[in-house]
Amino acid sequence: MIKFSKMPYERLDAKKYIEDIKKLAEQMKNAKTADEAFEVHKRMYEISGEAQTLIVLSSIRYTIDTTDEFYVKEEEYYNEVTPEIETAMVSYQKELNESKFRKELEEKIGKVAFKNMELKAKSISEKIIPLMQEENELKLAYSSLIASARIDWEGESLNLSLIRPYLTDVNREVRAKAWEKCSSYFESIEDKLDDIYDKLVANRTKQARELGYENFVELGYARMQRNSYDKNDIARFRKQIKETYVPFALKIHEKRKNRLGLSNLSYIDEGVFYKDGNPKPNRSPEEILANGQKMYSELSKETKEFFDFMMEYELFDVLGRKTKKAGGYMTFLDKYNAPFIFANFNGTSGDVDVITHECGHAFQGYVASTLPIKEHMNIGMETAEIHSMSMEFFTEPWMDLFFSEEDKEKYLQMHVEEAAVFIPYGTMVDEFQHIIYENPELTKEERKSVWAKLEKEYRPYLDFTGSSYLERGGIWQRQLHIYEMPFYYIDYVIAQMLAFQYKNWLDKDFKEAFASYLKLCKLSASDFFVNMIKEVGLKSPFDEGVVAEIVKGLETKIK
Ligand code: ZN
């Protein structure tokens, strides 16, 4: 094993890789025994692991420095070749699917893997490759536009990650000014953003129709690997949120409004929880990492081993720099069985969330990396976010390693409150996308009025007076998932509902709850989502009444 900076990179020879995939497809087809077929499949694990590692290395190094010409070119190359690689992979999976030894293979690899292959096959085909390439270019256009944002702030020029702390500044005038600057910036690129989204919706609708779908919704679900629930389940879930959860969120905001001493809650106050400002970590970035190590070494022996590994092999890049891509993520380097965490520390409590949330993802990846069946690592996002969002709660007892005594209490309260008020927003993003893709002919203006209308249903407590851009319903243009990962967002909401169940559980019995969590991490994707959560003692949020039950538990935690 080598440190991240020493990991060798060379451009993946896509042509050769595609040929190799096709060869294995041929061998799969001609396998004489079940064992032989499985050997071919194991060979596939190897070559795809090698290829994946190069692709991920390039992507990480690009996001670490978006001005690095070398990796900019590499990213362009991968955007171009990825659809062809994926279709070759689908042709391999087709042979696997149709293998004479399907039954034996299914016993080894699992039902979920085969269901996922089916979904993949239904979401990709040779004939939509040019459209998929165009879609990738549009997504790249969006992320470059956002990454190139420079906002003038007291003589400094800040990107969107670095301006973020000012949006929740303790001084109301400062945050009003920061919001004003950000909104004007978005307004200045509004036409471009509209144009990119217009093209994306048209492009995705066209892909769906080429594949025989009525619109993009079902294709979007297949792409999201929704293998055990459908849009009706989601629609029922949204209904529970609207009826049962939104009134609860209203109460939280009422309390917060009073705590802040405001007569109404404006959009500029949405991220502010205390009159004297949100709690901030009182440690340097280096100390946050070092204390993260201490925390995970105390939480469990599994988490200790994981964090030590991350530190030893330089698998964190978390310091904020101007040329880094905004946001944070966790990814995985197959060949090295190594998670990688990317973030932009900016001195807010968000830095601690990286150590809890992104490390939750990374921990699960680390735990699952040694599973012999690689498909079991292929988790759906709703499951992945349970690992991360629940870790945020399991690490609560160690928050004094990051905050002063007073701020620790504030942080714990803010954390549960912030998670709680996210739910209506996340659900709204989902409903918005359903409406958009079910009505692809909507104009740019109509899309914004759809959003503005949803705001009134999901966040009636927020006052947008003062920003014409927000009043018109433009704020979704900041939400990169809407552009880059359609239908992803509800996964956060589903997962948060499960994480809340862990919160309610661990407050009663930490040990038992953590054991269940560890089991869930190890199960990875060996079974369908709905089965797995039940197996570890959680309830499906799609079931009637579960949202109400969660709200009941949470109500006692909002002070
Ligand atoms: Zn996450």
Side-chain angles (χ1 to χ4, degrees):
M1 179 65 192
I2 36 175
K3 290 184 195 294
F4 177 77
S5 57
K6 298 280 182 302
M7 288 178 188
Y9 173 78
E10 57 172 359
R11 180 180 284 190
L12 170 72
D13 184 345
K15 221 174 127 196
K16 179 167 181 304
Y17 181 43
I18 290 169
E19 270 168 29
D20 288 344
I21 296 174
K22 287 182 177 160
K23 260 185 230 156
L24 289 181
E26 202 51 35
Q27 289 171 18
M28 180 56 73
K29 190 175 171 180
N30 299 327
K32 300 263 181 318
T33 62
D35 283 344
E36 201 184 316
F38 190 58
E39 282 310 311
V40 173
H41 194 58
K42 284 206 291 204
R43 177 80 192 111
M44 177 55 99
Y45 288 158
E46 253 168 66
I47 70 162
S48 58
E50 290 279 339
Q52 213 45 44
T53 302
L54 294 176
I55 296 172
V56 172
L57 263 178
S58 162
S59 150
I60 296 175
R61 288 182 179 157
Y62 164 72
T63 53
I64 285 178
D65 179 4
T66 53
T67 61
D68 184 331
E69 285 300 329
F70 178 81
Y71 285 107
V72 170
K73 289 222 166 61
E74 296 306 288
E75 284 306 278
E76 284 168 5
Y77 170 75
Y78 290 121
N79 276 330
E80 206 183 295
V81 298
T82 302
E84 280 171 71
I85 294 174
E86 285 193 10
T87 36
M89 202 53 98
V90 167
S91 67
Y92 168 80
Q93 289 173 346
K94 190 168 165 281
E95 296 302 339
L96 187 64
N97 240 319
E98 292 168 2
S99 165
K100 303 191 269 298
F101 309 108
R102 159 85 188 241
K103 203 176 136 271
E104 291 91 331
L105 288 167
E106 201 171 293
E107 265 161 33
K108 283 201 158 80
I109 305 168
K111 275 198 168 49
V112 183
F114 277 92
K115 178 76 194 177
N116 289 345
M117 281 180 232
E118 240 168 69
L119 289 175
K120 189 101 196 174
K122 280 206 275 186
S123 59
I124 197 166
S125 120
E126 293 270 359
K127 61 184 175 189
I128 59 164
I129 288 183
L131 283 168
M132 290 173 73
Q133 284 165 337
E134 186 198 49
E135 185 190 7
N136 278 340
E137 281 159 26
L138 288 164
K139 291 197 301 197
L140 198 60
Y142 175 78
S143 62
S144 322
L145 188 58
I146 298 296
S148 69
R150 288 297 173 270
I151 292 167
D152 229 27
W153 190 259
E154 278 152 17
E156 259 197 289
S157 143
L158 304 181
N159 68 19
L160 291 171
S161 285
L162 295 173
I163 189 91
R164 191 166 287 172
Y166 299 104
L167 294 172
T168 55
D169 197 277
V170 59
N171 183 331
R172 205 158 187 250
E173 274 162 38
V174 172
R175 59 183 192 259
K177 190 174 138 200
W179 269 99
E180 153 59 25
K181 291 232 174 197
C182 278
S183 307
S184 324
Y185 176 75
F186 272 89
E187 232 168 345
S188 76
I189 57 166
E190 188 178 355
D191 286 343
K192 284 185 193 158
L193 291 169
D194 276 333
D195 192 47
I196 294 172
Y197 196 59
D198 218 36
K199 288 181 177 149
L200 275 169
V201 173
N203 172 298
R204 287 171 181 150
T205 302
K206 216 165 157 191
Q207 289 191 43
R209 290 187 179 153
E210 287 273 350
L211 291 172
Y213 297 105
E214 191 194 334
N215 58 46
F216 180 70
V217 177
E218 211 179 320
L219 174 57
Y221 272 57
R223 280 199 197 174
M224 281 306 298
Q225 206 171 283
R226 305 227 184 278
N227 53 26
S228 59
Y229 53 91
D230 61 19
K231 63 175 181 190
N232 300 316
D233 294 308
I234 298 279
R236 277 202 314 276
F237 177 54
R238 284 200 308 261
K239 192 164 168 274
Q240 284 195 64
I241 297 290
K242 241 188 230 181
E243 292 173 358
T244 317
Y245 199 96
V246 169
F248 167 57
L250 261 163
K251 279 191 244 166
I252 303 177
H253 282 279
E254 206 43 45
K255 282 186 190 172
R256 179 139 60 108
K257 201 175 74 185
N258 296 334
R259 193 191 302 146
L260 290 172
L262 297 169
S263 54
N264 71 330
L265 204 65
S266 156
Y267 64 97
I268 66 165
D269 309 311
E270 209 216 342
V272 182
F273 293 81
Y274 295 94
K275 217 172 176 173
D276 54 353
N278 290 348
K280 288 191 180 82
N282 63 348
R283 307 287 149 95
S284 70
E286 291 75 15
E287 285 168 331
I288 289 178
L289 280 174
N291 287 352
Q293 194 159 17
K294 182 171 161 39
M295 171 173 84
Y296 282 112
S297 72
E298 289 171 13
L299 175 57
S300 73
K301 78 173 198 314
E302 290 87 352
T303 48
K304 175 186 186 330
E305 191 191 309
F306 148 73
F307 207 91
D308 291 349
F309 177 86
M310 295 293 289
M311 292 298 271
E312 183 169 356
Y313 296 106
E314 303 172 346
L315 298 166
F316 285 105
D317 190 310
V318 296
L319 302 186
R321 290 189 304 273
K322 282 180 189 169
T323 56
K324 269 174 91 165
K325 199 179 176 198
Y329 65 78
M330 169 266 166
T331 185
F332 201 80
L333 294 149
D334 233 60
K335 187 179 165 185
Y336 305 105
N337 283 343
F340 186 92
I341 289 182
F342 172 95
N344 282 276
F345 275 11
N346 58 12
T348 66
S349 59
D351 300 354
V352 178
D353 301 339
V354 171
I355 293 300
T356 58
H357 181 101
E358 297 304 334
C359 281
H361 285 303
F363 171 65
Q364 194 277 333
Y366 182 77
V367 169
S369 69
T370 48
L371 293 175
I373 302 300
K374 289 295 157 207
E375 282 85 354
H376 291 180
M377 282 193 73
N378 184 15
I379 36 178
M381 296 322 298
E382 79 289 274
T383 311
E385 294 301 334
I386 306 175
H387 305 139
S388 54
M389 289 171 158
S390 307
M391 190 63 106
E392 295 175 21
F393 291 123
F394 283 114
T395 49
E396 281 185 344
W398 285 269
M399 285 306 113
D400 52 353
L401 290 172
F402 307 99
F403 297 98
S404 69
E405 191 53 41
E406 190 201 344
D407 268 3
K408 182 191 96 176
E409 289 308 320
K410 284 183 172 173
Y411 174 75
L412 294 179
Q413 178 62 32
M414 177 176 92
H415 177 238
V416 68
E417 221 175 286
E418 203 171 23
V421 295
F422 165 76
I423 300 296
Y425 174 74
T427 314
M428 171 166 65
V429 169
D430 185 64
E431 184 165 346
F432 176 71
Q433 296 184 84
H434 280 84
I435 297 173
I436 297 308
Y437 289 111
E438 277 162 9
N439 304 280
E441 70 291 345
L442 291 183
T443 64
K444 299 161 186 178
E445 291 72 27
E446 284 167 337
R447 281 188 200 124
K448 292 199 188 92
S449 0
V450 167
W451 181 271
K453 183 173 165 284
L454 290 172
E455 283 283 8
K456 294 199 173 69
E457 293 171 29
Y458 283 100
R459 301 198 294 180
Y461 38 80
L462 266 194
D463 180 0
F464 291 106
T465 312
S467 168
S468 77
Y469 178 66
L470 298 189
E471 272 184 308
R472 284 188 287 117
I475 203 170
W476 58 270
Q477 297 190 313
R478 296 194 320 173
Q479 195 59 60
L480 78 98
H481 301 72
I482 292 179
Y483 283 80
E484 298 186 11
M485 289 166 268
F487 293 114
Y488 184 125
Y489 224 60
I490 198 70
D491 294 67
Y492 289 118
V493 183
I494 298 170
Q496 190 67 70
M497 285 299 169
L498 276 306
F500 283 147
Q501 291 183 47
Y502 271 132
K503 170 68 180 154
N504 289 336
W505 191 352
L506 72 89
D507 281 347
K508 287 190 198 102
D509 189 336
F510 191 94
K511 257 197 158 148
E512 196 186 78
F514 191 75
S516 157
Y517 171 78
L518 197 58
K519 186 174 173 192
L520 183 71
C521 289
K522 287 180 178 164
L523 279 174
S524 202
S526 57
D527 200 348
F528 293 107
F529 167 72
V530 215
N531 299 344
M532 282 194 301
I533 54 174
K534 291 191 175 162
E535 199 179 323
V536 300
L538 299 167
K539 287 182 181 166
S540 166
F542 306 137
D543 291 349
E544 203 57 54
V546 173
V547 171
E549 207 176 297
I550 292 166
V551 166
K552 224 175 129 202
L554 283 178
E555 260 169 345
T556 62
K557 303 184 201 307
I558 308 286
K559 293 177 189 106

